[in-house]
Amino acid sequence: MSVCLDPASQPCEPPSRHVVDQPDTVAAVRAVDALLAHGIAARAIDHALKGGVIDRLGERRLLEEAELAAELGSAPERIALLVSLLVSADVLCRKAGGLALSESFRRILPFRDLLEAKLGFLALASADLDEYFAAFIDAPDRFIAQSRTFELFRYDRCFELTPENLAATRRWVSYTSCLTRYEAGPCWDRIDLDGARRLLDLGGNSGEFAARACAKAPQLTATVADLPVVCAIGREMLAGRPELPRVSYLPLDMRFDALPAGHDLISFKSVLHDWPADEAFKLMARACAALPAGGQLLIYERARIPIEDMAMSYAAAANLVFAPFFRDAGFYIEALGALGLREITAETVEIETPFHLITARKPGGPA
């Protein structure tokens, strides 16, 4: 149940909180994070994926350690060490005929894209927290300047289409798109898209979020507005997808360029936390101005991380580095009310961390 927070009739209240039952997405994210709870185990899994151990055992083959070492061209004692780490992590198990993938790991293999994406990003984020932890606590600006995590997200590389900019931007777009692949369902499953015809996804990244909406609503078309390099990568990533004919890309800087009219649903997915409060408010104001009477605005953002209630595992580092930027729902609710929107609803969607799911409607439109 969501809470209606129409500022015209009642004060802002905390959003409702519940667990969304999406076993193919939410359960997958949680299972991957549980597997990556410990740093040494995660590094062993990463090494096994990259080195071919998982692929060689993936088709229910049984291999002795010596056979595995021979196939990989590795020293038997080094394979023995890796195998021991993987058995300890419940990735491999020992059977009468040799080594095999554990049943619990086989259940995670369908989500290998997420597993590999998280492993890659965690290598950056955890190293930054290890090396610059004092700055992370005491001097966030210095942490941002020093860390490789924030060097990855260089938006200044997203304007000019050069091979270097495409390569650099593709690294983080691939990561955030993979996350969205698992985060979008719990959002769109809770939004009534029957009346929507045209979606404008601001800061829409590769178009994954918009494509998931189009897959759910056959009548919907979508415009993905993002920086030029991001749009070019998005077209590549959606190639071959059945939703691509209904997803168009609009290269622009949403802070300054005119936003297109005629979209009855405008969304921000994991965008507004990137900006200071005044800039985030301006972006919401620009979206509201572009929204027709009766149109709906959607905000889907990570909430503040409940650090005191969480186990600070190795996997938590991926979101912890961004923790200072996640906001309470009240910021968005009050901003939307100040901008004149009504029928404001907010709820919390629990994935591996909580997300705000906030909607609001522009007054007017058909009776």
Side-chain angles (χ1 to χ4, degrees):
M1 181 179 68
S2 55
V3 180
C4 182
L5 300 173
D6 189 334
S9 61
Q10 55 184 300
C12 292
E13 300 173 7
S16 62
R17 193 180 189 94
H18 57 80
V19 175
V20 177
D21 183 16
Q22 293 291 328
D24 291 337
T25 55
V26 174
V29 174
R30 293 176 181 171
V32 167
D33 273 21
L35 183 66
L36 303 181
H38 303 289
I40 296 299
R43 290 179 174 92
I45 294 165
D46 188 44
H47 191 75
L49 286 164
K50 291 175 178 174
V53 172
I54 302 303
D55 291 328
R56 279 170 169 76
L57 295 171
E59 296 183 358
R60 297 197 175 272
R61 296 178 64 194
L62 289 172
L63 288 174
E64 297 288 354
E65 284 185 19
E67 294 176 292
L68 186 59
E71 287 195 15
L72 296 173
S74 301
E77 63 273 16
R78 308 325 303 162
I79 287 295
L81 176 58
L82 178 61
V83 164
S84 293
L85 291 170
L86 295 171
V87 170
S88 173
D90 195 25
V91 172
L92 301 185
C93 60
R94 298 184 186 276
K95 296 187 175 181
L99 296 166
L101 298 182
S102 71
E103 289 304 314
S104 62
F105 187 72
R106 286 188 184 280
R107 289 193 290 271
I108 287 176
L109 267 184
F111 317 116
R112 182 169 175 166
D113 60 337
L114 181 64
L115 175 60
E116 292 182 337
K118 288 213 169 199
L119 281 166
F121 189 72
L122 280 167
L124 285 178
S126 63
D128 284 338
L129 289 172
D130 286 345
E131 189 168 358
Y132 306 119
F133 189 79
F136 172 70
I137 297 295
D138 299 326
D141 289 344
R142 181 154 51 89
F143 177 76
I144 292 170
Q146 292 175 325
S147 71
R148 287 166 290 181
T149 301
F150 289 91
E151 173 66 17
L152 180 66
F153 294 91
R154 285 273 303 274
Y155 297 152
D156 60 310
R157 293 171 172 157
C158 297
F159 290 91
E160 186 179 358
L161 289 167
T162 67
E164 295 77 16
N165 285 345
L166 284 163
T169 303
R170 191 174 284 109
R171 292 180 63 204
W172 67 262
V173 169
S174 296
Y175 172 65
T176 53
S177 294
C178 186
L179 296 185
T180 297
R181 197 171 302 138
Y182 290 83
E183 295 163 353
C187 172
W188 292 126
D189 285 345
R190 306 197 74 76
I191 300 295
D192 182 2
L193 290 172
D194 288 346
R197 291 294 180 268
R198 298 187 66 198
L199 165 68
L200 174 62
D201 192 20
L202 292 173
N205 202 264
S206 69
E208 183 68 34
F209 191 62
R212 296 281 163 170
C214 289
K216 184 173 178 62
Q219 82 287 353
L220 190 68
T221 62
T223 302
V224 176
D226 214 314
L227 298 173
V229 174
V230 177
C231 286
I233 293 168
R235 290 189 192 96
E236 292 177 7
M237 293 180 69
L238 247 61
R241 293 270 291 272
E243 300 84 20
L244 181 59
R246 291 190 285 135
V247 177
S248 61
Y249 290 85
L250 180 62
L252 55 70
D253 185 336
M254 63 182 175
R255 298 171 300 170
F256 309 115
D257 296 334
L259 301 183
H263 295 81
D264 52 3
L265 175 60
I266 298 179
S267 58
F268 290 103
K269 192 275 176 190
S270 300
V271 171
L272 295 173
H273 74 270
D274 280 345
W275 304 98
D278 58 339
E279 292 294 325
F281 183 87
K282 290 176 184 176
L283 288 172
M284 287 185 277
R286 303 195 87 222
C288 290
L291 198 64
Q296 188 175 46
L297 184 67
L298 164 69
I299 295 172
Y300 190 44
E301 275 281 352
R302 286 190 191 270
R304 289 191 186 275
I305 299 175
I307 293 175
E308 293 186 9
D309 299 328
M310 290 176 60
M312 282 294 105
S313 71
Y314 178 75
N319 292 315
L320 188 62
V321 288
F322 300 116
F325 307 105
F326 300 141
R327 299 182 172 102
D328 293 328
F331 169 79
Y332 302 109
I333 294 167
E334 291 172 12
L336 296 176
L339 290 167
L341 270 62
R342 296 294 182 260
E343 299 178 38
I344 303 172
T345 68
E347 57 187 293
T348 300
V349 177
E350 297 283 358
I351 305 183
E352 89 280 31
T353 67
F355 275 72
H356 300 308
L357 176 53
I358 300 170
T359 64
R361 196 168 294 279
K362 192 168 184 176

